Amino acid sequence: MNAPPATPRAEAVLFDLDGTLVQTRIASWTVFSTINDRFGLGVDGPEQYFDLFRGNVYDSIAKLCRDEEQAAEVKEAFLALLRAEYSPPLVPGVGDVVRRLAGHCTLAVMSSNAMQVMRRVLTDNDLAFCFAHVFGGDVIPDKRAAVRTFLADSANTFGRRCSADYDEGGLRQAPDLASTVLVTDTAGDVRDAVEVGIRAVGVAWGMHPAEDLLAAGAEFVALWPQELTAHLLGDAATLPPGGACAIPPDGARAVPPDGARALPPGGPGPAPAAGAPAGTAADPGPIAAGGCGCGCAGEPDPAAAGRVRRDRRRTAAGTRAAPGPEAPGPTAVRPGPPDEILDAVRRVMRR
């Protein structure tokens, strides 16, 4: 019996937002139900609303309207309410998956949602600088067009490795159709990916069940977020996050005791590893409240910000070129006790 052909390792991963990265079934329906009642669209409940995503959601909503003028009004009102009220929680485990993938792939987000919402969700969860491209529904509402825009970009090799600057190494293979994957929770998105010619991977925790995603053309449906890492990276999935992606979000960092370290203007930063030189991956220097390490939340320090970015790039490049254990830093030398204490101890020992 012949083994199935190996799945090419992903070089670019395009994520849907709602239902894939964030939990959307309740949050999204709550917003839409207000629009549904205001315009009398006749959607009776959440399951009927989820069915609208079997195709382009705005095309589906337009079919519920009496004419194009009302369809435009409904879309505008829906996006406005999303911008104002929509802030769903992240799917558990997805944050770690994104940070691991960012060290190996160029990442993008595509959504029917508004850019303002996407920015809020990604920044609130410390994932904004893992993504090199963001396509919102108020910029490119058709995901097929968004995928084609990404593929046509001559700079799509350059990703973001969990820091504000873009990768300048250019060492990765440029993503092609076989190495570009859309990860989504809706059958409509899967069909869009297949039509454009890229691969599609489904997730079972979103709007549509696994059997619908597979029927639409998904090559695989993940039951847990961690399966995405294994499926998309293969053997490289065992490597830990490297470079800036290895630094946890601000909320996970231990706050040093009073007096242990001066706090930057943006708030408390991480406690440095013993003996780690300042400004390295082990001690990234002052971290702003936004988590980017550039000092943008307080008074900027251009020299410190530049040092952090350079060290992160060097660390990330070293991780990509030769993954393995990091070299230990210099051992910290602790100051000894004062001389008078040592003399007193010696006198006691001689008695």
Side-chain angles (χ1 to χ4, degrees):
M1 183 170 144
N2 294 328
T7 303
R9 176 175 149 176
E11 298 290 338
V13 182
L14 317 177
F15 280 96
D16 172 53
L17 179 73
D18 304 297
T20 302
L21 295 179
V22 297
Q23 302 176 60
T24 193
R25 293 176 70 88
I26 295 176
S28 180
W29 164 246
T30 299
V31 173
F32 181 78
S33 62
T34 300
I35 300 299
N36 180 60
D37 294 341
R38 183 189 306 175
F39 291 94
L41 299 179
V43 177
D44 296 329
E47 294 303 325
Q48 188 177 350
Y49 168 62
F50 301 152
D51 284 341
L52 299 178
F53 289 84
R54 297 188 182 279
N56 181 281
V57 65
Y58 294 114
D59 291 343
S60 300
I61 292 175
K63 294 175 182 177
L64 303 175
C65 301
R66 61 176 178 269
D67 52 35
E68 292 183 1
E69 182 179 351
Q70 188 190 38
E73 186 180 359
V74 168
K75 179 180 177 180
E76 182 179 354
F78 188 30
L79 285 170
L81 201 58
L82 286 169
R83 294 186 186 103
E85 298 186 4
Y86 185 69
S87 186
L90 204 67
V91 172
V94 157
D96 179 67
V97 170
V98 168
R99 296 182 75 84
R100 286 177 179 272
L101 291 174
H104 301 273
C105 309
T106 300
L107 302 188
V109 184
M110 301 180 181
S111 177
S112 302
N113 225 309
M115 290 288 287
Q116 182 177 332
V117 174
M118 299 172 75
R119 178 178 176 131
R120 179 168 65 238
V121 168
L122 296 178
T123 55
D124 285 354
N125 290 285
D126 294 297
L127 297 178
F129 293 149
C130 297
F131 294 95
H133 308 266
V134 176
F135 301 93
D138 50 353
V139 177
I140 305 181
D142 189 326
K143 290 182 182 175
R144 293 167 297 182
V147 173
R148 293 187 179 107
T149 299
F150 171 81
L151 292 172
D153 187 349
S154 61
N156 62 12
T157 299
F158 302 99
R160 266 178 163 171
R161 315 303 165 194
C162 311
S163 61
D165 52 315
Y166 282 81
D167 178 26
E168 298 178 8
L171 303 178
R172 288 174 173 76
Q173 173 184 343
D176 55 16
L177 296 180
S179 62
T180 303
V181 185
L182 176 63
V183 180
T184 183
D185 68 312
T186 67
D189 285 356
V190 171
R191 282 191 287 269
D192 285 348
V194 171
E195 180 179 332
V196 174
I198 67 171
R199 296 157 54 193
V201 167
V203 299
W205 52 83
M207 289 191 175
H208 295 159
E211 54 269 23
D212 289 2
L213 299 170
L214 292 170
E219 68 182 31
F220 173 76
V221 176
L223 301 182
W224 308 280
Q226 292 77 12
E227 281 192 294
L228 295 172
T229 313
H231 181 77
L232 296 173
L233 295 183
D235 292 340
T238 61
L239 299 176
C245 294
I247 301 173
D250 280 354
R253 294 173 179 152
V255 178
D258 293 342
R261 179 181 179 184
L263 298 181
T280 65
D283 177 14
I287 302 296
C292 64
C294 66
C296 57
E299 292 298 323
D301 181 350
R307 184 184 69 245
V308 169
R309 288 195 294 270
R310 287 192 299 273
D311 287 339
R312 284 177 170 177
R313 279 198 295 269
R314 284 196 293 268
T315 303
T319 302
R320 292 196 298 272
E326 295 182 1
T331 303
V333 179
R334 297 183 178 180
D339 292 340
E340 57 268 23
I341 296 178
L342 290 175
D343 291 340
V345 170
R346 292 189 186 103
R347 286 196 298 271
V348 170
M349 296 297 294
R350 285 196 296 267
R351 291 178 184 176

